[in-house]
Amino acid sequence: MADANELQLFNDLARQLRADSIRCTTAAGSGHPTSGMSAADLMAVLQAKYQRYDYNNPEHPNNDHLIFSKGHACPVLYAMYRAAEAITDEDLLSLRKFGSIYEGHPTPIIPHIDAATGSLGQGLAIAVGVAIAGKHIEKLPYKVWCLLGDSEMAEGSNYEALMVASEQGLDNLIAIVDVNKLGQRGETALGHDMATYAARVSAFGWKVLIVDGHNVAEIDEAYAEAVKHTGSPVCILAKTEKGGGVSWLAGAPGWHGKALKPDEAEKALAELAQAGPIAGYTVKPQLPEDLTPAPFTGDAPLVLPSYEVGTKVAVRKAYGDTLAALGKSRGNLFAVDAEVGNSTYTESLGKVAPERLFQVYIAEQVMVGVAQGLDVQNKNTFAATFAAFFCRAYDQIRMGAISGAKLRLVGTHAGVSIGEDGASQMALEDLAMMRSIHGSTVLYPSDAVSCAHLMSLMADYDGIAYLRATREATAVIYPATETFEIGGSKTLREGTTATVIAAGITLIEALQAADTLASEGINIRVIDLYSIKPVDEAAILKAATETEHLIVVEDHWPEGGLGDVVAATLTKNCVAPKKFSHLAIPQMPRSGKPDELLAAYGIDSHAIIKVVKG
Amino acid sequence: MADANELQLFNDLARQLRADSIRCTTAAGSGHPTSGMSAADLMAVLQAKYQRYDYNNPEHPNNDHLIFSKGHACPVLYAMYRAAEAITDEDLLSLRKFGSIYEGHPTPIIPHIDAATGSLGQGLAIAVGVAIAGKHIEKLPYKVWCLLGDSEMAEGSNYEALMVASEQGLDNLIAIVDVNKLGQRGETALGHDMATYAARVSAFGWKVLIVDGHNVAEIDEAYAEAVKHTGSPVCILAKTEKGGGVSWLAGAPGWHGKALKPDEAEKALAELAQAGPIAGYTVKPQLPEDLTPAPFTGDAPLVLPSYEVGTKVAVRKAYGDTLAALGKSRGNLFAVDAEVGNSTYTESLGKVAPERLFQVYIAEQVMVGVAQGLDVQNKNTFAATFAAFFCRAYDQIRMGAISGAKLRLVGTHAGVSIGEDGASQMALEDLAMMRSIHGSTVLYPSDAVSCAHLMSLMADYDGIAYLRATREATAVIYPATETFEIGGSKTLREGTTATVIAAGITLIEALQAADTLASEGINIRVIDLYSIKPVDEAAILKAATETEHLIVVEDHWPEGGLGDVVAATLTKNCVAPKKFSHLAIPQMPRSGKPDELLAAYGIDSHAIIKVVKG
């Protein structure tokens, strides 16, 4: 129980947080003061008594984490920094101004931010990843706090995160839902129906505490219970009022995402000041403990799996083999599986290091969120599912790029070559999707050896890397000694009649076509464009100028894949091919045998031969 | 209560459904017999007694709907068709063969299928849309049945659908969850913990009934109760065994997605045959009633909103105005909002026809699912949110294309020009994402007038149409009499020094640049490429050949947008520009004023002038 002095401090700090939320948004002329004001008491008690964080050392391994899933409420977060003297008042008032790191939604440009938020329903999954790192990997006692809005409890992604958090027994994770009843355009579906929120969250295995989110004594008691609770994560459901603390803003409609005009701000600050000073409080969190993370099992030289040229190995199998090899070599190597690990071969890591493979079941959004949360704690993490199902987590990947996260994503079962399962399982847009992620690298190996090499490069890539893997077993074409690089390509056949640019399964078809044509005396160049982004521009330009016919073949829609990459390269360099053909999937594919489908949609060796012969 | 004869029929039909599930998958050499076998009793009772469906008239307005969210279980669905004599045994045995419409996952190529499934967690949201149509629009008593797997209850998307279903009071919707305990790679998170499933689903406002899914009497009672229940949707949680009905398959691990080998199939069929015949049962659903859907309010001529050239109007505002105009003109015009209708202006429809605007709160996946479900019932439906947040529903949009759905999607707040809210709210990949949807049309109007015209074209587009809308108010540039077409463009300024190809906000910047340059005696061509897909190839080719410098300017990442479209067009036609520049967003943008950001990232009029002057 808090004493009177503590309660006074909580209220004083909360008042200042409210005032600062108003001041900085009014100075900006835009933003979300009222969404922060509803959480001001919750955040004041947290900062004054429960949070353990060293603002002078954001990388301290024992720091608590605080993730604002309701990112638009960041004015109150920046006000907390100000109260901790981590930033100046000038910093606070630079909110939303160009050049300021105090943006409209928080990003990790601020050293105290773990992950960019602002697309709702994403913070909790990342918090789950951080909490997994703390509890299961580092075995440190820090807490992960996640502030959510009530509106975002409509996002399905949060239920994936709730599920995984309890499955993983994350009693170091405390979610705080600021139930201020008002969404962007009016009341939320549930309003202040705290019992229904409680039923939903507790049904997912969480301990639930309901508090009056403007009563600092109740908040204090709930936090005290939450930090002691073991066996499950805790969710504090706080009944609040949007704009709470100022009589004419509290619970009033029409104030979402609106800064107060200067005269309105003056009036609001005057009302707050009636209860006591609204500035001058310095309240720093307690410093964290000084414990050492559990050590990794240590590093050993990487021994890539080896494959005989000419044998048939699925690229997805090579992904699994290489993941296991990386896992053996590095203690700091983890993977997340969305319940398809036996098809993607992610389960291979589980065979060598079961404690480093995390299962999230069929929930791709939280899979990416957990991978990102592990990356926050510098855990080198791969996440894999069928390439098509990464579409489910595209928003998470997009936000991951804003966070500057290192995500290592592997999409298996790409293209029509998966065969009988039909179009729903055939990724035909994944290259387009992943290319348009800022700073991404997109790799598409054609055989097991190149997959193994590219995987080892991915493991050290500083950004979002995506590898596309074929389902079918295909011929190993490279000797183990071959070298590969991000941005590279391989010219595997030479000729001047035409160049075929391909990758993955179509590269194998292109080689067959080239060999058949060679036996007829027609020599073509074949380029393995295994690095789609960045791309080997020189190889493309050379091919366009040195050969008579440029042919791009891909197991992908015509838009956004190899064809667009080649065209963008040529146009950028003002080069036109002498003749150009683009073989891609021309219509919605159907079920059938892989070979039938490659033929039917015109991307197999016969189709290539026909186009070459023209 | 069912009598002994009925119970016998249920069991006989279930046995045949199991046998046929085995037969067709063994004939195919792949597929999911065991995932259908767990649902065989559930489906037998449904078909024999509760489903009302005219197989001779799949378009009958009073037909019940049956959506297999667990699409991989389709062998049992095709077996149901066979039992109803809607298809032949030869049809059934064509499963997964190239050319057969009985694919590995169901698609609407089959006339009895409403929506393609196979990406888990999507069927229920579509069922919600169909049920909204039945209950709130057509006011017909048909039921919407949705079969889900237990594994897919990990997908967050299902909780969005559960939420909206109860919010909308859909007592015509009955979900059946086949809790067979085994996922793809082992046991699910919850196994047979029926109480936890029940707690989760009932917390979302559903009536829940738990049954032994292999006890036809229990199933019968549950269906009887479900069809009578009013006030909320009903979920039947059925405890089943994967492979149920064959002793050595029932509940056995390692049988996910595996066809039985011929000898195994023979053994399984022999065991089934011990209980009675496994073929020869013809069981048709009852025919539906013959009621007339509630009439639409009727059609009136479309009066597009009008805007004065030179005034400033946000394109998103024009979207809202035009949506309202379309709504006034057509009774069959609906919209779905994900709680941002006051920002996207979708709320404008609510002002003229509140009963035709459906609110799903901040849940983009179910927003698209509901739109698709409404389309199943031929309701012309728009769905809008911030363009960035369509990333959250990319998998649903992808699957919508497989369904051949007509989705009319509007993404507002695109690009850095949104300003202070920061990168999380700036769609910079939406053009890439939407271009790579099969059969899509992608439109990007630069002003209110072109937006209004393009909206009216979108309303009749037979496929997935996406319109990108700018947040900021920009100048109206077209007179109301101007005409536009899908695949068109406008050449707004003439000159030979350079051509600037732009759309949306950058088109406005390009016009400013052109006018400034003209005042200095430099004349450039400016093309409004408002139709990104399909694109006006002739205009691009002419510009590349007739002018000295081709400049593409876009408020988008360099990948997948206007730049790639222009490059693909040129390369396809073997044309190289004489000089080429591509102005797109070069780095992760920050918060700032719209003008500051357009300048900082080099896509404003000054940047264009600088590039023209070279």
Side-chain angles (χ1 to χ4, degrees):
Chain A
M1 289 283 292
D3 63 25
N5 283 341
E6 274 187 316
L7 294 176
Q8 184 65 47
L9 177 64
F10 298 157
N11 281 319
D12 288 342
L13 176 57
R15 201 168 55 245
Q16 175 171 300
L17 295 180
R18 289 191 163 94
D20 282 350
S21 298
I22 292 169
R23 290 173 59 238
C24 67
T25 47
T26 294
S30 70
H32 296 261
T34 56
S35 295
M37 290 167 75
S38 56
D41 303 297
L42 293 160
M43 293 301 101
V45 180
L46 181 64
Q47 176 147 329
K49 188 165 174 186
Y50 293 92
Q51 189 185 18
R52 303 195 69 165
Y53 187 83
D54 184 352
Y55 272 105
N56 292 319
N57 184 6
E59 300 302 319
H60 195 300
N62 292 274
N63 273 341
D64 280 2
H65 293 260
L66 172 58
I67 294 176
F68 258 51
S69 187
K70 54 176 297 189
H72 58 286
C74 59
V76 78
L77 180 62
Y78 305 155
M80 292 165 75
Y81 298 163
R82 166 80 186 97
E85 290 189 337
I87 70 173
T88 65
D89 200 53
E90 192 182 351
D91 292 331
L92 178 69
L93 297 177
S94 72
L95 175 75
R96 290 173 160 256
K97 295 193 171 72
F98 187 57
S100 169
I101 63 173
Y102 305 99
E103 298 192 73
H105 292 79
T107 79
I109 302 177
I110 300 171
H112 314 299
I113 297 289
D114 287 322
T117 51
S119 182
L120 291 169
Q122 297 202 14
L124 188 61
I126 296 166
V128 167
V130 176
I132 287 174
K135 184 168 178 73
H136 296 309
I137 303 171
E138 300 160 351
K139 303 188 198 299
L140 290 175
Y142 63 77
K143 300 288 182 188
V144 183
W145 307 83
C146 182
L147 179 70
L148 296 100
D150 49 350
S151 281
E152 68 178 308
M153 294 305 284
E155 292 282 15
S157 50
N158 275 326
Y159 298 91
E160 298 182 8
L162 289 173
M163 173 190 70
V164 173
S166 61
E167 264 288 306
Q168 294 283 333
L170 301 178
D171 47 17
N172 55 342
L173 175 61
I174 301 167
I176 303 164
V177 186
D178 177 11
V179 185
N180 68 23
K181 201 177 81 171
L182 295 177
Q184 169 168 329
R185 45 148 286 293
E187 197 157 320
T188 59
L190 291 181
H192 268 152
D193 178 358
M194 307 304 287
T196 296
Y197 282 113
R200 290 184 185 177
V201 175
S202 60
F204 282 85
W206 287 52
K207 166 81 175 171
V208 171
L209 302 170
I210 299 177
V211 301
D212 174 347
H214 298 316
N215 182 323
V216 291
E218 276 191 37
I219 296 167
D220 176 59
E221 277 181 54
Y223 287 169
E225 187 174 348
V227 296
K228 277 188 216 145
H229 179 79
T230 57
S232 78
V234 178
C235 178
I236 293 166
L237 294 170
K239 184 176 174 182
T240 63
E241 288 192 296
K242 198 157 177 167
V246 172
S247 58
W248 47 278
L249 289 173
W255 281 103
H256 179 91
K258 275 192 192 154
L260 279 66
K261 297 196 188 89
D263 58 324
E264 294 167 340
E266 200 175 324
K267 189 176 146 203
L269 294 174
E271 183 182 327
L272 285 169
Q274 284 172 10
I278 58 172
Y281 297 100
T282 297
V283 182
K284 298 187 185 191
Q286 294 172 71
L287 292 178
E289 297 175 85
D290 216 355
L291 304 168
T292 307
F296 291 125
T297 49
D299 285 353
L302 173 62
V303 182
L304 286 182
S306 61
Y307 306 98
E308 287 271 318
V309 170
T311 57
K312 286 203 166 185
V313 182
V315 169
R316 61 175 165 142
K317 175 72 165 50
Y319 149 67
D321 295 344
T322 313
L323 186 69
L326 284 163
K328 275 189 221 169
S329 156
R330 305 173 178 207
N332 183 19
L333 197 290
F334 302 85
V336 193
D337 175 31
E339 236 266 86
V340 288
N342 57 333
S343 290
T344 59
Y345 286 101
T346 299
E347 66 178 14
S348 303
L349 180 65
K351 287 172 185 165
V352 301
E355 76 287 358
R356 291 195 259 137
L357 172 57
F358 298 100
Q359 184 55 254
V360 299
Y361 300 94
I362 303 189
E364 295 79 10
Q365 297 181 81
V366 72
M367 177 181 71
V368 171
V370 165
Q372 189 178 333
L374 290 170
D375 172 62
V376 166
Q377 295 303 89
N378 300 309
K379 309 297 173 258
N380 201 340
T381 308
F382 281 80
T385 184
F386 286 22
F389 304 148
F390 272 115
C391 292
R392 194 68 69 94
Y394 191 38
D395 199 30
Q396 281 77 7
I397 300 167
R398 173 182 78 88
M399 289 294 297
I402 302 176
S403 287
K406 292 185 284 292
L407 297 176
R408 316 189 190 290
L409 309 176
V410 176
T412 65
H413 296 70
V416 302
S417 66
I418 64 153
E420 289 87 348
D421 275 325
S424 66
Q425 321 291 301
M426 297 169 177
L428 291 167
E429 55 292 293
D430 57 320
L431 296 177
M433 174 172 84
M434 296 297 186
R435 271 183 67 225
S436 61
I437 290 291
H438 181 63
S440 66
T441 265
V442 179
L443 305 169
Y444 187 12
S446 307
D447 84 337
V449 170
S450 54
C451 176
H453 283 272
L454 293 172
M455 279 279 294
S456 72
L457 297 173
M458 260 180 106
D460 294 316
Y461 184 70
D462 185 23
I464 296 179
Y466 174 68
L467 184 140
R468 184 184 220 221
T470 300
R471 174 183 191 241
E472 294 300 290
T474 51
V476 174
I477 57 171
Y478 291 110
T481 51
E482 193 80 33
T483 59
F484 299 84
E485 56 185 331
I486 291 175
S489 73
K490 293 282 174 189
T491 299
L492 299 178
R493 297 289 186 276
E494 264 304 351
T496 55
T497 310
T499 296
V500 176
I501 296 179
I505 190 118
T506 58
L507 188 272
I508 304 297
E509 297 293 326
L511 292 176
Q512 282 175 22
D515 294 344
T516 302
L517 288 164
S519 71
E520 300 173 22
I522 302 170
N523 292 309
I524 65 170
R525 183 178 298 183
V526 175
I527 295 174
D528 178 1
L529 203 72
Y530 62 81
S531 180
I532 311 289
K533 181 185 173 189
V535 76
D536 183 349
E537 296 199 359
I540 294 170
L541 295 171
K542 251 173 77 102
T545 48
E546 293 176 359
T547 62
E548 297 303 313
H549 186 180
L550 195 62
I551 303 165
V552 179
V553 192
E554 57 184 321
D555 194 356
H556 191 274
W557 295 128
E559 297 86 6
L562 273 70
D564 274 8
V565 168
V566 168
T569 302
L570 295 178
T571 297
K572 179 178 153 188
N573 290 282
C574 300
V575 171
K578 291 162 192 156
K579 188 177 174 188
F580 184 75
S581 300
H582 185 194
L583 308 183
I585 305 304
Q587 67 194 78
M588 187 56 71
R590 301 273 285 273
S591 289
K593 291 195 177 67
D595 285 352
E596 285 175 334
L597 301 187
L598 292 173
Y601 304 116
I603 58 168
D604 71 347
S605 60
H606 303 289
I608 295 168
I609 290 168
K610 197 171 158 193
V611 165
V612 169
K613 291 185 172 173
Chain B
M1 290 285 290
D3 63 23
N5 283 342
E6 274 187 315
L7 294 176
Q8 184 65 47
L9 176 64
F10 298 157
N11 282 318
D12 288 342
L13 177 56
R15 201 168 54 247
Q16 175 171 300
L17 295 180
R18 289 191 164 92
D20 282 351
S21 298
I22 292 169
R23 290 172 60 236
C24 67
T25 46
T26 294
S30 69
H32 295 261
T34 56
S35 295
M37 291 167 75
S38 56
D41 302 297
L42 294 159
M43 293 300 100
V45 179
L46 181 64
Q47 175 148 328
K49 188 165 173 186
Y50 292 92
Q51 188 186 18
R52 304 194 67 164
Y53 187 84
D54 184 353
Y55 271 105
N56 292 319
N57 183 7
E59 299 302 318
H60 195 301
N62 291 273
N63 273 342
D64 279 2
H65 292 260
L66 172 58
I67 295 176
F68 258 51
S69 187
K70 54 176 296 190
H72 58 286
C74 59
V76 78
L77 180 63
Y78 305 155
M80 292 165 75
Y81 298 163
R82 165 79 185 99
E85 291 188 335
I87 69 171
T88 65
D89 201 53
E90 192 183 352
D91 291 332
L92 178 69
L93 296 179
S94 72
L95 175 74
R96 291 175 160 254
K97 294 193 171 72
F98 188 57
S100 169
I101 64 173
Y102 304 101
E103 299 191 74
H105 292 80
T107 79
I109 303 176
I110 301 171
H112 314 301
I113 297 288
D114 287 322
T117 51
S119 181
L120 291 170
Q122 297 203 14
L124 188 61
I126 297 166
V128 167
V130 177
I132 286 175
K135 184 168 178 73
H136 296 309
I137 302 171
E138 300 160 350
K139 302 185 197 300
L140 290 175
Y142 65 77
K143 299 288 183 190
V144 183
W145 307 83
C146 182
L147 179 70
L148 296 100
D150 50 350
S151 281
E152 68 178 308
M153 295 304 283
E155 292 280 16
S157 50
N158 275 326
Y159 298 90
E160 298 183 7
L162 288 172
M163 172 190 71
V164 174
S166 61
E167 263 288 307
Q168 294 283 333
L170 301 179
D171 47 17
N172 55 342
L173 174 61
I174 300 167
I176 304 164
V177 186
D178 177 10
V179 186
N180 68 22
K181 201 178 77 171
L182 295 177
Q184 168 168 329
R185 44 146 287 292
E187 197 157 320
T188 60
L190 292 182
H192 269 152
D193 178 359
M194 306 305 287
T196 297
Y197 281 114
R200 291 184 185 176
V201 175
S202 59
F204 282 84
W206 288 52
K207 166 82 174 172
V208 172
L209 303 169
I210 299 177
V211 300
D212 173 348
H214 298 315
N215 181 323
V216 292
E218 274 191 39
I219 296 168
D220 177 59
E221 276 182 53
Y223 287 169
E225 187 174 348
V227 296
K228 277 187 212 143
H229 179 78
T230 57
S232 79
V234 178
C235 178
I236 294 167
L237 294 170
K239 184 177 173 182
T240 63
E241 289 191 295
K242 198 156 176 169
V246 172
S247 58
W248 47 278
L249 288 174
W255 281 104
H256 179 91
K258 274 193 195 157
L260 279 65
K261 298 196 187 89
D263 58 325
E264 294 167 338
E266 202 176 320
K267 190 177 143 200
L269 294 174
E271 183 182 326
L272 285 169
Q274 283 172 9
I278 57 171
Y281 297 100
T282 298
V283 181
K284 299 187 184 192
Q286 295 174 69
L287 292 178
E289 297 177 85
D290 215 354
L291 304 169
T292 307
F296 290 124
T297 50
D299 285 351
L302 174 62
V303 182
L304 285 183
S306 61
Y307 306 98
E308 287 271 317
V309 170
T311 57
K312 286 202 165 186
V313 182
V315 169
R316 62 177 165 140
K317 175 71 165 52
Y319 149 68
D321 294 343
T322 313
L323 186 69
L326 285 163
K328 275 189 219 170
S329 155
R330 304 173 178 206
N332 183 19
L333 196 290
F334 302 85
V336 194
D337 175 31
E339 236 267 85
V340 287
N342 57 334
S343 289
T344 59
Y345 287 102
T346 300
E347 66 177 16
S348 302
L349 180 65
K351 287 172 184 165
V352 301
E355 75 288 358
R356 291 193 260 138
L357 172 57
F358 298 101
Q359 184 56 252
V360 299
Y361 300 94
I362 304 189
E364 295 79 10
Q365 298 181 81
V366 72
M367 177 180 73
V368 172
V370 165
Q372 189 179 334
L374 290 169
D375 173 61
V376 166
Q377 295 303 89
N378 300 309
K379 309 297 173 257
N380 200 340
T381 307
F382 281 80
T385 184
F386 287 22
F389 304 148
F390 272 115
C391 292
R392 194 69 69 96
Y394 191 38
D395 200 30
Q396 281 78 7
I397 299 167
R398 174 182 78 89
M399 290 295 296
I402 302 175
S403 287
K406 293 186 283 293
L407 297 176
R408 315 189 190 291
L409 309 176
V410 176
T412 65
H413 295 69
V416 301
S417 67
I418 66 153
E420 288 86 348
D421 275 325
S424 66
Q425 322 289 302
M426 296 169 176
L428 292 167
E429 56 291 293
D430 57 319
L431 296 175
M433 173 172 85
M434 295 297 186
R435 271 183 68 224
S436 59
I437 289 292
H438 181 64
S440 67
T441 265
V442 179
L443 305 169
Y444 187 14
S446 307
D447 83 337
V449 169
S450 54
C451 176
H453 283 272
L454 294 172
M455 279 280 294
S456 72
L457 297 173
M458 260 181 106
D460 295 315
Y461 184 70
D462 185 23
I464 295 178
Y466 174 68
L467 184 139
R468 184 184 219 220
T470 300
R471 174 182 191 241
E472 292 301 290
T474 52
V476 174
I477 58 171
Y478 292 110
T481 51
E482 193 79 32
T483 58
F484 298 84
E485 58 185 330
I486 291 175
S489 74
K490 294 281 174 190
T491 298
L492 299 179
R493 297 288 185 279
E494 264 303 353
T496 55
T497 310
T499 295
V500 177
I501 296 179
I505 190 119
T506 58
L507 189 273
I508 304 297
E509 297 293 326
L511 292 176
Q512 282 174 22
D515 294 343
T516 302
L517 288 164
S519 72
E520 299 172 23
I522 302 169
N523 292 309
I524 64 169
R525 184 178 296 184
V526 176
I527 295 175
D528 178 0
L529 204 71
Y530 62 80
S531 180
I532 311 289
K533 180 185 172 187
V535 76
D536 184 350
E537 295 198 359
I540 295 170
L541 295 171
K542 251 172 78 94
T545 49
E546 293 177 358
T547 63
E548 296 304 311
H549 185 180
L550 196 61
I551 303 164
V552 179
V553 192
E554 58 185 320
D555 194 357
H556 190 275
W557 295 128
E559 299 85 5
L562 273 70
D564 274 8
V565 169
V566 168
T569 301
L570 296 177
T571 296
K572 177 178 155 189
N573 291 282
C574 299
V575 171
K578 291 162 195 157
K579 186 176 174 188
F580 184 76
S581 300
H582 184 194
L583 308 183
I585 306 303
Q587 66 194 79
M588 187 57 71
R590 301 274 286 273
S591 288
K593 291 196 177 68
D595 285 351
E596 285 174 336
L597 301 186
L598 292 173
Y601 303 117
I603 57 168
D604 72 348
S605 60
H606 302 289
I608 295 167
I609 290 168
K610 196 171 158 196
V611 166
V612 170
K613 291 184 173 175

